């Protein structure tokens, strides 16, 4: 079945450092890809998404490009802030509804001042 | 954005007892709600899909008699873990669907269940 693999954390960075969180997927069809973020004490929030190959999702300085050839959707940010500290989940959906999701394990990001 | 409230955020219960977790959509009607579970160092796994007014659809390997799901209204779904055991200790999280095509689901805060 479909699956998502993302790098284990925690990822520890200093403020203004460059961030990459790797995510690869396995799917039989043409899934939509997502990054969700969970801040402490809150629910998962959609950070960005891409629905087809070569699409780039972006939000709040974060970017991820749907790479069909490498089945990847790596999350990047050029300069992280302390407020970016959270758990980041990569996910896919093989349905047009976007609601039924297959998740990765989540990666905790810790940003220090 | 839409708000989904999940309660409680943490619960500790004794082995053999039952625990109910609530998932509410606060500012929209949710035709469908999803329940996920995450064991340590593993992915969030879909447990079941619940539709208002009908029986839930459980994923393979999830015991429907152990994890009772009730979606009695368009704003509330409940998950009851019956006769809980330590191996049921996990992180449970719900999401709710507004019923619109190509829109994401909205997640609750999650519930950390510890069975002692």
């Amino acid at each position: 079945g479909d699956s998502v693999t993302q790098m284990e954390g925690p990822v520890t960075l200093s403020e203004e450092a460059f961030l990459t969180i790797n995510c690869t997927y396995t799917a039989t069809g043409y899934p939509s890809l997502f990054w969700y973020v969970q801040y402490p004490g809150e629910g998962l929030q959609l950070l960005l998404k891409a629905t087809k190959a070569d699409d780039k999702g972006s939000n709040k300085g974060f970017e991820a490009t749907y790479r069909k050839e490498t089945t990847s959707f790596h999350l990047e940010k050029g300069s992280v802030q302390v407020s970016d500290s959270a758990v980041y989940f990569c996910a896919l959906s093989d349905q047009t509804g976007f609601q039924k999701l297959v998740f990765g394990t989540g990666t905790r990001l810790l940003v220090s001042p | 954005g839409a708000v989904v409230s999940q309660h409680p955020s943490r619960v500790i219960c004794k082995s053999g007892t039952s625990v109910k977790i609530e998932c509410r959509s606060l500012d929209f009607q949710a035709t469908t709600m999803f329940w996920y579970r995450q064991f340590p160092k593993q992915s969030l796994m879909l447990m079941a899909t619940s539709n208002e007014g009908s029986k839930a659809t459980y994923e393979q390997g999830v015991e429907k008699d152990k994890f009772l799901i009730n979606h009695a209204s368009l704003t509330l779904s409940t998950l009851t873990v019956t006769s809980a055991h330590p191996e049921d200790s996990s992180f449970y999280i719900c999401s709710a669907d507004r019923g619109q095509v190509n829109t994401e689901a909205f997640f609750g805060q999650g519930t950390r269940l510890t069975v002692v």
Side-chain angles (χ1 to χ4, degrees), chain A residues 4 8 34 36 38 41-44 46 49 89 96-106, chain B residues 34 36 38 41-44 46 49 59 91 93 95 97 100-105 107-109:
Chain A
V4 174
E8 283 195 34
F34 307 83
Y36 278 83
Q38 185 175 30
E42 300 183 16
L44 271 69
L46 179 64
K49 69 175 185 280
F89 292 90
T96 56
F98 291 175
Q99 293 93 6
K100 194 170 180 179
L101 298 164
V102 175
F103 283 92
T105 52
Chain B
F34 301 86
Y36 294 84
Q38 184 181 31
K41 298 195 176 183
Q42 295 186 28
S43 305
L44 278 162
L46 181 66
T49 303
E59 296 298 304
F91 181 73
I93 193 166
S95 70
D97 163 26
Q100 299 172 352
V101 176
N102 292 345
T103 60
E104 73 272 20
F107 283 82
Q109 305 93 320

Side-chain angles (χ1 to χ4, degrees), chain A:
Chain A
D2 296 349
S3 66
V4 174
T5 302
Q6 63 181 104
M7 60 192 291
E8 283 195 34
V11 174
T12 304
L13 295 173
S14 298
E15 203 165 25
E16 299 184 1
F18 184 86
L19 168 72
T20 300
I21 300 178
N22 290 337
C23 172
T24 56
Y25 68 90
T26 302
T28 52
Y30 300 93
S32 295
L33 302 175
F34 307 83
W35 278 100
Y36 278 83
V37 59
Q38 185 175 30
Y39 299 104
E42 300 183 16
L44 271 69
Q45 302 171 25
L46 179 64
L47 180 60
L48 53 84
K49 69 175 185 280
T51 58
K52 60 182 186 296
D54 299 325
D55 266 3
K56 177 185 283 188
S58 61
N59 186 24
K60 299 181 181 180
F62 291 89
E63 292 183 341
T65 301
Y66 190 143
R67 301 284 188 202
K68 188 170 183 295
E69 64 276 13
T70 55
T71 61
S72 65
F73 193 55
H74 304 321
L75 182 68
E76 297 182 337
K77 186 175 186 182
S79 176
V80 293
Q81 305 300 311
V82 173
S83 57
D84 294 326
S85 298
V87 180
Y88 293 82
F89 292 90
C90 185
L92 68 80
S93 173
D94 61 0
Q95 299 181 340
T96 56
F98 291 175
Q99 293 93 6
K100 194 170 180 179
L101 298 164
V102 175
F103 283 92
T105 52
T107 302
R108 182 174 298 278
L109 171 65
L110 300 170
V111 181
S112 57

Side-chain angles (χ1 to χ4, degrees), chain B residues 37 46-48 58-67:
Chain B
R37 174 174 60 184
L46 181 66
M47 297 175 65
Y58 290 81
E59 296 298 304
Q60 192 173 8
V62 178
E63 300 175 60
K64 62 180 180 182
D65 294 331
K66 182 169 186 62
F67 298 99

